[in-house]
């Protein structure tokens, strides 16, 4: 009986093990089938499918969707013919680059020529190609190239004091995007009239300078001067929007050459919450602004000492050559006296985001690097007022004065537009008489309506707030009455200020907590007068700077009275 029971239990256990094994295998087989189906589906996904599944704001910083096609076949052929390209191109590059370097030669050098130039044995790699739809009649192609070459380049450099130096350029590393434009399209082979080429984007350019048989650092200033010369020459001679035009068929292709298309008016208003770079005291910030990073095209603000919330209120003008692709770059530095200035942060804004003829007020967040934005540290913000004015623009902002003796900035044109609809470009161009600058003069009425959510400054959780209203240039000042024990005070008081130069003045409102023997600072608002001059009157709320919370409700009104001054 015991044997029979054991036999039955053994058979049942064996059958159970077989059933569990079969079920497990079936489950694993189903998982493998589902995984295979999922992988097959993923393999058929396009970039657009990926973007639908995961919206752009959720991408990690290292995820990049490229529209460029691979060029393995071209790279393979280029490796084969590179020795012949090296022989053929070396003399051509030498003869064409030497005049460019001579044009940008530093003053400390008397001459600069190539004594040796070969491209080496390592061919560049084209990592992608794409076709760009820029809205023009033609074909625009972009080629991405990477070159970590081993060229042999030796410069024969002579200084002003008669010293001759053979300087070797080595360890060249370059990554960039070249743009080729085939335009105009014609009904004659090769079906386009000319080719324009330019360095559309310079992602990386590294090289090392070394004196043959010596150390270049032993001669102060030479290394920095030559390196700056090379970078300026590349930037000004071939970097977009500069382009070189090669005619293929006979014709006039002057319309393909680089030409100014407009002017950008920039008012650098202020910055706030800047990172402190000094161990003792606070940073001494100044700003550098540019569209093209060339020494003669960069603008620099004044230095404001010991201030992490500087107010500049300075105006600059820039020539725009391609509004569709160019950026305005702002870099904030800490002035270190005779030492090199230290970067606090930088920001940029695309010119294509500006509506022509409309003033745009923006706050830009500062970052460490404009190319690699993986650093999320808060470095402060900078405020700009921007106005893009295309040449030949026929819209509402025009010169209200027909006389060629009168000239205005584009910002003044926008603020003082008239009904005559005439453009002053030709008049200003031909003006030979005494000019006059328009001063936007008038009366500014400031109504301090109320505040809300002010920070508590007293021990009982209340404050006794009042507001000091002041014009920055004239230092005219008024203040509201004190509202006791309130974090949401209501004043409804109006103050009038005679403003002599509205374009360059600012309104400052500072909120204080009143105590018997002192006053405690609570926060402030700093406003330019651009908007109120343009619209005449408006009501808005403004957050308090330097405060954890709080905002002011204001009503501003402008009564204009333009005057003129001789210049």
């Amino acid at each position: 009986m015991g044997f029979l029971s054991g036999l039955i239990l053994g058979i049942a256990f064996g059958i159970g093990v077989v059933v569990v094994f079969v079920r497990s295998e079936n489950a694993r087989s189903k998982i493998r089938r589902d995984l295979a189906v999922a992988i097959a589906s993923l393999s058929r996904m396009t970039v657009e499918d990926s973007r639908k599944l995961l919206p752009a704001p959720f991408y990690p910083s290292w995820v990049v969707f490229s529209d460029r096609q691979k060029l393995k076949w071209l790279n393979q052929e280029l490796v084969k013919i590179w020795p012949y390209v090296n022989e053929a191109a070396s003399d051509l590059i030498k003869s064409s680059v030497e005049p460019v370097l001579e044009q940008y030669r530093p003053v400390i050098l008397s001459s600069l020529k190539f004594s040796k130039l070969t491209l080496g044995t390592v061919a560049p790699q084209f990592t992608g190609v794409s076709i760009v739809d820029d809205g023009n009649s033609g074909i625009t192609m972009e080629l991405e190239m990477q070159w970590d070459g081993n060229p042999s380049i030796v410069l024969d450099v002579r200084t002003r004091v008669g010293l001759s130096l053979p300087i070797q350029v080595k360890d060249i590393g370059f990554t960039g995007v070249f743009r080729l434009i085939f335009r105009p399209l014609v009904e004659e082979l090769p079906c386009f009239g000319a080719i324009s080429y330019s360095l559309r984007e310079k992602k990386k350019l590294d090289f090392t300078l070394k004196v043959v048989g010596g150390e270049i650092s032993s001669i102060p200033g030479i290394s920095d001067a030559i390196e700056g010369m090379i970078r300026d020459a590349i930037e000004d001679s071939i970097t977009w929007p500069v382009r070189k035009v090669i005619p293929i068929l006979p014709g006039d292709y002057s319309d393909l050459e680089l030409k100014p298309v407009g002017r950008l008016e920039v008012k650098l208003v202020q910055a706030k919450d800047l990172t402190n770079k000094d161990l003792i005291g606070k940073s001494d910030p100044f700003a550098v602004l540019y569209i093209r990073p060339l020494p003669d095209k960069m603008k620099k603000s004044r230095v404001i000492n010991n201030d992490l919330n500087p107010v500049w209120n300075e105006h600059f003008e820039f020539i725009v050559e391609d509004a569709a692709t160019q950026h305005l770059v702002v870099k904030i530095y800490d002035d270190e006296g005779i030492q090199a200035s230290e970067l606090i942060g930088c920001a940029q804004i695309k010119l294509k985001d500006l509506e022509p003829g409309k003033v745009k007020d923006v706050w830009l967040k500062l970052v460490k690097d404009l190319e690699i934005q993986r650093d999320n540290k808060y470095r402060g913000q900078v405020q700009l007022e921007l106005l893009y004015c295309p040449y030949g623009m026929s819209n509402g902002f025009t010169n209200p004065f027909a006389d060629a003796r009168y000239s205005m900035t584009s910002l003044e044109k926008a603020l003082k537009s008239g009904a005559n609809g005439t453009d002053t470009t030709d008049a200003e161009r031909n003006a030979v008489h005494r000019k006059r600058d328009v001063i936007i003069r008038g009366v500014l009425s400031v109504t301090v309506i109320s505040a809300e959510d002010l920070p508590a400054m007293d021990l009982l959780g209340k404050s006794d707030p009042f507001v000091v209203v002041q014009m920055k240039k004239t230092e005219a000042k008024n203040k509201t009455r004190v509202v006791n024990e309130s974090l949401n005070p209501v004043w409804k008081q109006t103050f009038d200020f005679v403003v002599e130069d509205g374009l360059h003045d600012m309104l400052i409102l500072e909120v204080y907590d009143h105590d018997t023997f002192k006053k405690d600072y609570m926060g402030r608002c700093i406003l330019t007068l651009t908007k109120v001059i343009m619209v005449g009157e408006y009501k808005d709320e403004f957050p308090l700077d330097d405060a954890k919370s709080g905002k002011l409700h204001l009503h501003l009104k402008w009564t204009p009275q333009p005057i003129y001054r001789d210049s």
Side-chain angles (χ1 to χ4, degrees), residues 59-194:
Y59 294 159
S61 59
W62 44 266
V63 173
V64 177
F65 289 108
S66 176
D67 295 326
R68 295 187 172 93
Q69 303 297 319
K70 301 299 182 182
L71 290 171
K72 292 183 179 180
W73 61 271
L74 179 60
N75 293 326
Q76 292 172 355
E77 299 303 319
L78 186 59
V79 169
K80 294 179 182 178
I81 66 171
W82 184 248
Y84 306 99
V85 172
N86 179 27
E87 293 293 333
S90 294
D91 291 338
L92 178 62
I93 293 174
K94 181 178 179 181
S95 61
S96 59
V97 172
E98 270 188 354
V100 177
L101 294 181
E102 183 66 22
Q103 181 182 352
Y104 294 92
R105 175 173 51 83
V107 294
I108 63 174
L109 304 181
S110 60
S111 69
L112 188 150
K113 295 182 179 180
F114 288 105
S115 61
K116 184 179 181 181
L117 192 154
T118 60
L119 299 180
T121 59
V122 179
Q125 297 289 301
F126 290 97
T127 55
V129 61
S130 63
I131 302 298
V132 179
D133 183 9
D134 56 4
N136 293 320
S137 58
I139 299 174
T140 302
M141 178 187 299
E142 290 190 347
L143 287 167
E144 185 174 21
M145 189 186 83
Q146 180 177 342
W147 187 40
D148 294 312
N150 59 346
S152 179
I153 302 175
V154 179
L155 297 171
D156 183 13
V157 175
R158 293 183 180 273
T159 65
R160 293 288 182 185
V161 295
L163 182 63
S164 180
L165 298 172
I167 296 181
Q168 183 180 10
V169 183
K170 55 185 298 186
D171 300 331
I172 295 179
F174 172 80
T175 303
V177 179
F178 286 90
R179 173 171 284 192
L180 303 177
I181 303 175
F182 303 87
R183 182 178 161 205
L185 301 180
V186 296
E187 296 179 353
E188 180 181 353
L189 290 176
C191 298
F192 52 86

Side-chain angles (χ1 to χ4, degrees), residues 381-554:
Q381 301 180 72
V382 61
Q383 183 186 11
L384 304 174
E385 285 184 352
L386 306 166
L387 172 65
Y388 172 53
C389 317
Y391 292 143
M393 181 178 180
S394 55
N395 68 0
F397 81 96
T398 51
N399 189 354
F401 304 98
D403 196 323
R405 294 176 301 168
Y406 302 152
S407 71
M408 297 188 298
T409 67
S410 300
L411 184 57
E412 289 166 339
K413 292 179 186 179
L415 299 178
K416 288 298 301 173
S417 58
N420 59 356
T422 59
D423 195 327
T424 63
T425 304
D426 294 334
E428 291 174 2
R429 229 173 250 161
N430 299 325
V432 294
H433 300 295
R434 176 170 52 93
K435 293 185 178 181
R436 308 173 90 189
D437 295 329
V438 175
I439 304 173
I440 307 299
R441 183 180 188 272
V443 176
L444 176 66
S445 298
V446 182
T447 301
V448 184
I449 302 172
S450 62
E452 63 176 284
D453 196 24
L454 295 179
M457 305 296 289
D458 296 340
L459 295 177
L460 299 178
K462 296 289 184 179
S463 296
D464 307 313
F466 68 95
V467 181
V468 176
V469 186
Q470 179 179 350
M471 301 306 301
K472 181 175 177 61
K473 288 190 70 173
T474 62
E475 297 184 355
K477 186 182 298 185
N478 279 296
K479 67 178 181 179
T480 67
R481 66 180 181 274
V482 177
V483 178
N484 293 319
E485 297 185 355
S486 177
L487 301 182
N488 299 282
V490 177
W491 291 284
K492 292 185 179 180
Q493 289 183 257
T494 301
F495 307 99
D496 292 333
F497 297 93
V498 176
V499 180
E500 297 293 338
D501 190 0
L503 285 181
H504 307 102
D505 211 340
M506 304 182 78
L507 176 65
I508 302 176
L509 301 102
E510 296 179 326
V511 184
Y512 292 91
D513 172 44
H514 175 74
D515 288 329
T516 304
F517 299 105
K518 63 175 183 175
K519 59 181 182 181
D520 296 325
Y521 176 73
M522 300 175 69
R524 70 176 181 177
C525 296
I526 299 179
L527 309 176
T528 65
L529 307 187
T530 306
K531 182 176 179 179
V532 69
I533 293 175
M534 291 186 66
V535 302
E537 183 177 2
Y538 75 100
K539 183 187 297 185
D540 205 346
E541 61 181 35
F542 303 90
L544 287 179
D545 294 331
D546 307 328
K548 295 181 180 179
S549 63
K551 59 182 68 174
L552 284 177
H553 295 267
L554 305 175

Side-chain angles (χ1 to χ4, degrees), residues 294-330:
L294 293 168
D296 60 336
K297 298 182 184 295
M298 302 169 74
K299 310 293 184 181
K300 178 181 175 181
S301 75
R302 69 182 187 276
V303 177
I304 297 182
N305 294 320
N306 200 38
D307 197 341
L308 301 181
N309 298 283
V311 178
W312 290 287
N313 198 33
E314 294 187 49
H315 176 262
F316 305 99
E317 290 188 5
F318 297 91
I319 299 299
V320 178
E321 293 150 325
D322 186 8
T325 60
Q326 288 187 304
H327 302 73
L328 173 70
V329 176
V330 185

